Amino acid sequence: MNSPEPLQPPEGIGEAPSRPSANHLQAAMQAALGRQREAFLREGPPSLKVRLDRLDRALSLLLRHQDEICNALSADFGHRSREQTLITDVMVSVRALRHAMRHVRHWMRPERRAVDFPLNLVGAQARIEYQPKGVVGLISPWNFPISLIFVPLAGILSAGNRVMIKPSELTPTTSDLVARLLAGAFSEAEVAVFVGGPEVGAAFCRLPFDHLMYTGSTAVGRLVMRAAAENLVPLTLELGGKSPVVISRSADLADAATKIMAGKMLNAGQVCLAPDYVLLPEESVEPFVAHAQAAVRRMFPSLRDNPDYTSVINERHVQRLRAYLEDARSRGARLVEINPAGEDFSQQSAHKLPPTLLLDVTDDMKVMQEEIFGPLLPLRPYRWLSEAIEYINSHDRPLALYYFGHDPHEEERVLHCTVSGGVTINDVIMHFVQQDLPFGGIGPSGMGRYGGVHGFREFSHARAVYTQTRLRRVLDLMRP
Ligand code: NAD
């Protein structure tokens, strides 16, 4: 087992933040909000130059501190693949910030709009101005503790806002590092970070922000929405749920199994967009199992001692996942653990779990009720595609839906007859990394969207500006 690399303190950056009491923090957060709002009002909408400079400072700190970021994440997870952190946290964030820097000039431009007849004929004008909202609150989870701060930041900063951030307590080393790095690159009136657990989160979302973005579980999302309602704070909620995969009879099953297992094993399944369960033709179940086993063997000849395979975040989550397996087994599910090197997972310093397929699952099993968020994959057979569609529609609207197949009519049917936050066809997760696509859920999987211009607009106020014609005689015709 690879032990996590030691965490190096970042050069030139201050001490780790101390942990004051909840009351003290509440007052500090309130004061920070006051200072940020005052600075925002004093400054007015920041110029392009100011926005580019802020985006560049966020970008530079990521590029300069890649090693510390990888080490911090590995320390927090027990073990986290370095290459994975570089791709899913550093690179994803860098791409989002660079994309914003390339396009913000264009996004900021007021948009001319048509004026209704007859005022359009006499010189009246209409436009939309994208105005920064002011101070945005940002609460982030532990599974991608860098990218789920910095990708939203690309939208928040390009829109000209100031921001207060509450990272997750489950990744304390990374959250402290983020706090130190941001404090080294930004004034507290631009970006402020408050570390702490649920009580700090609860106090944070009671603040009267100009916008609040929350990424995390649906259960906590409900509490956040309730708290934000008190101040009528507009919300972006990026929540979880069970994202289904539909495999068609027309699919290349080996290719589908490889992509699904790669997606399921990314971050050990601790991905909001992870394929949660698979709906597949009944005759494809056994062949899918064989293809999945072969794919895992190819990608991960070993797991426990393989630095490319990430650990489950902590013992509590391991117990949660083991309880799903035990519950499913006791209700008649068949478990197929994929452990290519036959390693003993009871002997390790991290919390790695081998991927496990679950067959013969039923809806009374916890694994079919709760978001899995780990390397377990239930397979649910269907005879006709309509059964798969009905099954999806009888559950909460998911964050993502995946379709594998090469039958255009069937693909259209799946897309038209279901609703989800986003879709990837013939792969998983990939719609999230497209800069020009909006990312977000629907209903229980979230509300609002971000990514590229969609993030810029989410954190801007689209202000309608109408300029009246100077021809008074025309206006007189319209008056009593
Ligand atoms: P979580 O809901 O436990 O915690 C998320 C954040 O909320 C943390 O910073 C936490 O401290 C804070 N928090 C906890 N209680 C709070 C409260 N009462 N009020 C305010 N804030 C509070 O989620 P998690 O376990 O960190 O993350 C996993 C969940 O997040 C999964 O459901 C996953 O699907 C979801 N997720 C969604 C997305 C997305 O983009 N839609 C991305 C990543 C994770």
Side-chain angles (χ1 to χ4, degrees), residues 347-393:
Q347 302 296 317
Q348 55 171 325
S349 57
H351 304 284
K352 291 192 183 181
L353 267 190
T356 303
L357 306 176
L358 293 92
L359 284 68
D360 305 328
V361 290
T362 49
D363 282 357
D364 59 343
M365 297 173 184
K366 284 210 171 63
V367 78
M368 293 308 289
Q369 295 167 354
E370 311 282 337
E371 178 181 3
I372 296 174
F373 224 57
L376 320 181
L377 186 67
L379 308 182
R380 202 175 187 287
Y382 67 79
R383 258 170 308 164
W384 310 109
L385 185 74
S386 53
E387 293 169 18
I389 292 173
E390 259 169 51
Y391 187 82
I392 294 167
N393 288 336

Side-chain angles (χ1 to χ4, degrees), residues 41 99 127 157 212 227 229 232 254 283 341 390 421 444:
L41 292 172
H99 181 79
R127 65 182 186 277
L157 296 178
L212 178 59
L232 292 176
E283 69 279 12
E390 259 169 51

Side-chain angles (χ1 to χ4, degrees), residues 139-144 148 166-170 196-198 201-202 205 214-218 220-221 223-224 238-241 271-272 317 371 373 399 439 445 450:
I139 302 181
S140 61
W142 54 266
N143 61 331
F144 293 103
L148 292 175
K166 209 303 276 166
S168 173
E169 70 284 9
L170 293 197
C205 60
Y214 166 82
T215 304
S217 62
T218 299
V220 174
L223 303 177
V224 171
E238 298 288 345
L239 309 177
V271 182
C272 57
H317 279 277
E371 178 181 3
F373 224 57
L399 184 59
F439 177 69
S445 58
Y450 69 114

Side-chain angles (χ1 to χ4, degrees), residues 132-158:
K133 287 194 166 185
V135 182
V136 176
L138 175 61
I139 302 181
S140 61
W142 54 266
N143 61 331
F144 293 103
I146 298 295
S147 51
L148 292 175
I149 288 178
F150 283 86
V151 177
L153 267 188
I156 292 169
L157 296 178
S158 61

